[in-house]
Amino acid sequence: SGLVGSAVQRKLSSSTLFKSKIITSNRSSLDLRREVDVSNFFSSARPDTVIVCAATVGGISANINYPTEFLLDNLQIQNSIFLSSLKFNVKNICFLGSSCMYPSGISRPIKEDDLLSGPFETTNEGYALANTAGLRLCQMIRRQYGINAYTLIPNNSYGPGDNYDPKFSHVIPSLISKLRIAISNHDD
């Protein structure tokens, strides 16, 4: 589990309202880009609810330098999970999108209606496009199959388990990392 997945897992595990068994995987044990592996996992686990927290993620630098990988990896992850969800009769799908799905230059506060009302920010277009495809796929699955499939869009995420690599981190962990280095070097 990554940053968001581990946070969701901690929250569900500590909830007194949540009584179901939580089944998770991580990158080292399951490559979600491989449809056959995901199908085998679903065949064994038989989930009734799927929360899609998995994604290939990174900061602005990574998104600028690897847009193709961000688009392809995330489409493969989503497609594998959604196909297995349909194949194994999952009842509920919660897909976590990203605030980068909103167009650049929109006025604040943002509204749901702002989605697809303008071009994506060019610095993360691959990731934004994949997330938007996931959002639309949830809408189509809900309409066509009657499955409770929906998308949540967190506006930002950071915390325990975050990536502090200066080339791949998001803004907040990057600032924390830079501050830590400056303090240890006694920089102004």
Side-chain angles (χ1 to χ4, degrees):
S1 294
L3 172 69
V4 175
S6 60
V8 169
Q9 183 180 354
R10 281 192 305 276
K11 187 66 174 174
L12 292 176
S13 295
S14 68
S15 172
T16 57
L17 300 174
F18 193 75
K19 304 292 185 219
S20 297
K21 180 181 175 190
I22 299 171
I23 304 163
T24 64
S25 68
N26 58 43
R27 289 173 205 230
S28 62
S29 63
L30 177 61
D31 185 346
L32 294 170
R33 296 170 299 177
R34 294 178 40 87
E35 186 181 331
V36 68
D37 293 351
V38 175
S39 181
N40 290 337
F41 179 80
F42 272 61
S43 177
S44 173
R46 296 293 179 161
D48 62 3
T49 298
V50 173
I51 302 173
V52 184
C53 301
T56 295
V57 298
I60 293 172
S61 177
N63 274 275
I64 290 170
N65 292 318
Y66 307 104
T68 305
E69 287 78 4
F70 277 85
L71 178 58
L72 289 175
D73 280 3
N74 287 301
L75 288 174
Q76 288 174 316
I77 289 168
Q78 294 162 198
N79 289 344
S80 294
I81 293 171
F82 289 136
L83 284 168
S84 287
S85 293
L86 292 172
K87 181 178 178 180
F88 292 99
N89 300 312
V90 168
K91 307 264 186 291
N92 306 290
I93 302 169
C94 174
F95 173 71
L96 294 182
S98 169
S99 59
C100 73
M101 296 162 60
Y102 287 95
S104 63
I106 57 173
S107 60
R108 304 289 191 263
I110 57 176
K111 303 175 297 298
E112 282 186 55
D113 291 343
D114 291 329
L115 285 167
L116 295 174
S117 65
F120 296 120
E121 174 63 46
T122 57
T123 59
N124 56 18
E125 185 177 15
Y127 185 66
L129 188 56
N131 274 262
T132 304
L135 166 97
R136 287 295 201 220
L137 194 50
C138 280
Q139 292 170 338
M140 292 173 189
I141 288 170
R142 186 172 55 247
R143 188 172 54 243
Q144 184 175 345
Y145 294 97
I147 295 171
N148 187 24
Y150 54 93
T151 301
L152 299 177
I153 305 173
N155 68 339
N156 203 343
S157 58
Y158 56 92
D162 214 333
N163 179 357
Y164 294 89
D165 182 313
K167 292 183 181 176
F168 297 98
S169 63
H170 289 100
V171 172
I172 293 173
S174 177
L175 288 172
I176 292 170
S177 180
K178 289 175 182 177
L179 286 169
R180 183 184 56 78
I181 291 168
I183 289 169
S184 69
N185 291 340
H186 305 289
D187 293 339
D188 292 339

